[in-house]
Amino acid sequence: MHIREEKAERHTLAVIVDNEPGILARIAGLFTARGYNIESLTVSEITADKAVSRITIVTSASPATLEQIVAQLDRLVPVHRVHDLTAEGDHVERELALVKVRGVGDHRIEALRLAEVYRARVVDATTSSFVFEVTGGIEKIDKFVELMDEVGLIEVARTGVVAIARGKDAA
């Protein structure tokens, strides 16, 4: 008997749920109980009456495991629907990061130059540091943080991925 290992692929899921206490814990618990990893998690209310929320989850899993994840999420009572944005086609993903960097002397000039290249905005400045706001794909943010590490990185705060399908249809 030969067991074939399936390669884990990165997927972005949009989970539309009733906005009720404990739903996020139930979803996170579902992942934890089965040993699935959540790489990124964001939650936001999406209706004017605040009754419905959208949970965006980024995870890596084999196709069979991902099928199980989606099926188990679909079975939770407060879940309206689950969309695998990665499998369903083109979608837009973005993340926001706040990056604090030391900024004195030549390092100050280099930090500002790099921020301009990456279209990062200065949202706070002192005589010895900057806080930059940068948005974009995961790779862009990772690279910006890596470059700022060479200049004098102090601290990073990231929002996690938000995603939406392209086109006229809602996820």
Side-chain angles (χ1 to χ4, degrees):
M1 182 171 177
H2 184 19
I3 299 173
R4 194 180 93 203
E5 272 189 47
E6 293 181 322
K7 184 181 173 204
E9 299 171 348
R10 182 181 173 279
H11 283 262
T12 302
L13 306 176
V15 185
I16 309 303
V17 300
D18 287 335
N19 187 13
E20 61 182 45
I23 183 59
L24 183 58
R26 288 179 61 198
I27 288 174
L30 183 148
F31 275 76
T32 302
R34 289 157 183 82
Y36 307 146
N37 189 40
I38 295 174
E39 295 173 15
S40 174
L41 177 71
T42 59
V43 183
S44 180
E45 296 165 340
I46 59 170
T47 57
D49 64 0
K50 302 180 184 213
V52 178
S53 290
R54 178 188 185 103
I55 301 173
T56 305
I57 302 169
V58 177
T59 189
S60 290
S62 68
T65 300
L66 190 71
E67 192 175 309
Q68 284 181 333
I69 290 170
V70 170
Q72 290 165 357
L73 286 170
D74 258 334
R75 280 196 282 274
L76 291 176
V77 171
V79 173
H80 293 258
R81 58 190 182 277
V82 179
H83 291 275
D84 180 352
L85 295 173
T86 306
E88 291 176 11
D90 288 340
H91 63 282
V92 178
E93 290 187 10
R94 290 293 179 267
E95 185 174 5
L96 176 135
L98 296 175
V99 181
K100 188 186 296 183
V101 180
R102 279 183 200 83
V104 292
D106 289 342
H107 289 288
R108 188 173 187 85
I109 295 165
E110 183 63 10
L112 288 169
R113 188 188 68 73
L114 288 169
E116 186 176 336
V117 169
Y118 280 82
R119 295 187 180 130
R121 281 184 341 123
V122 176
V123 293
D124 184 59
T126 68
T127 56
S128 61
S129 68
F130 291 105
V131 175
F132 296 106
E133 173 189 289
V134 60
T135 60
I138 293 170
E139 297 80 17
K140 175 184 176 182
I141 305 246
D142 288 345
K143 189 63 178 173
F144 183 73
V145 169
E146 179 185 322
L147 290 170
M148 287 301 171
D149 192 35
E150 296 174 23
V151 176
L153 182 69
I154 298 171
E155 185 177 8
V156 177
R158 296 175 77 155
T159 60
V161 173
V162 293
I164 197 164
R166 292 187 185 266
K168 61 181 175 58
D169 296 326

